[in-house]
Structures are given as structure tokens and as C-alpha cells.
Amino acid sequence: MKAALGLLVASYWWLSQVSEMDREEQQTSKTLGIYGCFVGSHFMANLIASFLLYSTLLKASEILHNKMVWSVIKAPVLYFDKTPVGRILNRFSKDIGNMDDVLPPQFLLAAEVCLFSISTVLLPVAANFWLIFVAIPLVLIALYYGRYYLKSSREIKRLEAITCSPVYSHISETVAGLEIIRSAGMEQSFLKRLFK
């Protein structure tokens, strides 16, 4: 990831060098070839970094799923008496779904934003050292509000999971006892409970 960003900065640096050349030298194949190499290598480095990141996150998702399955299999029977099946299914589907679908692009975006933020702070500080006294408090304020947001966001997600769990539990129990429900003629009763 850092190599791709370094190659992007190198292509910008080369363009600044080209702007100082005279017109004939700018249009030579050597000058354009060097710029093309920087852009092409940036593209390839970005592609390789993205592929490695996605494959690593998918492997982590597979490991998490295997550990979750083994934990549920080894759980005592008392755990299943206290925990509804819907909550267990909700855990599996939400966690694995997030790791497969949401986490890879969000992690890639977060890494890019962090690297761009660091370079945005460091470049002006390199030009004028006194800007560091403005940058440090701004970074600390951003970190404080980021931690505050994470706490509240996690609590909201937890409440959402608890709210959805009875619905999943009701559906799974209904499917498990479908033969008994139909033989007893209780379909309407279960439908009324589901749509309350």
C-alpha cells in the first residue's frame, strides 16, 4: 500500500520536473516513458496490494468461521437452553457477512484515507515547521471524536442485533416444527405472532 502511494507521489514529482524542462525535452519519448513507467507501476502496485489485502481478509473470515463453528459444537447444552437459536444464527450471518462484504472495502478505504491524511499533514509541515503546532491539536481532536463515534456505533449495532434476534429465533423454531404446526392447524397463530 505504501509502495503504491510512493509511486503515485513519484509520478507527481516527475511531472513537476517535466514542467521545468523546455518544450522539446518534454515531448521526448524518454520523458514520456519515465512518466508512463511511474503510472503503470503505480497501477500494478495498487492492484497487487488490493489482491493481497482481499485474500488476507477472506482467509481471516474463513478462520473466524471455523473457530465459531467449533465453539458452538463444543458449547455445553446449558448454553443452548439460555441462548435462542436465532441469536446464534444472527451472530454467524452478521459476523461472516460483515467480514466478507463490508470489511475488505472499508479497510482498504481506511488505509488509503490514513495514508493520505498523514501525507496531507507531513507535506505542509515539511514546508513550514511551525504548522506542526496547529496540526497536533487538530489530529488529537479528530482522534477523540473518532473514539466517541466508535463507542456509540458499537452500542447501536448491539441493540440492533438484540432486537432482530427474536424474529430469527421464531422463524427457525417455526421451520423446525412445521409438521406439528400444520397437523395441529396453528398456521394462523404463528403468522400473527410473526407479524406483531
Side-chain angles (χ1 to χ4, degrees), residues 77-166:
V77 176
L78 183 63
Y79 172 74
F80 295 105
D81 290 340
K82 291 182 178 180
T83 309
V85 177
R87 189 173 294 168
I88 297 170
L89 289 173
N90 188 17
R91 257 293 159 237
F92 268 88
S93 63
K94 274 254 180 175
D95 290 350
I96 299 303
N98 283 339
M99 284 199 68
D100 288 343
D101 300 332
V102 178
L103 190 62
Q106 291 297 322
F107 185 78
L108 191 60
L109 181 67
E112 287 177 357
V113 167
C114 285
L115 290 173
F116 278 120
S117 300
I118 290 169
S119 64
T120 303
V121 171
L122 290 181
L123 285 174
V125 167
N128 185 358
F129 176 75
W130 297 106
L131 287 175
I132 198 163
F133 296 113
V134 175
I136 289 176
L138 289 176
V139 168
L140 292 176
I141 289 170
L143 290 175
Y144 171 75
Y145 281 117
R147 291 184 70 194
Y148 178 76
Y149 167 76
L150 281 177
K151 286 180 184 176
S152 60
S153 175
R154 284 183 187 141
E155 194 64 25
I156 289 171
K157 290 288 185 186
R158 187 185 67 78
L159 289 173
E160 178 191 6
I162 289 172
T163 305
C164 292
S165 179

Side-chain angles (χ1 to χ4, degrees), residues 50-68:
S50 297
F51 176 75
L52 290 175
L53 177 74
Y54 280 102
S55 63
T56 302
L57 289 175
L58 285 175
K59 186 66 176 170
S61 175
E62 182 183 338
I63 291 170
L64 175 71
H65 181 267
N66 292 341
K67 286 185 178 182
M68 287 172 69

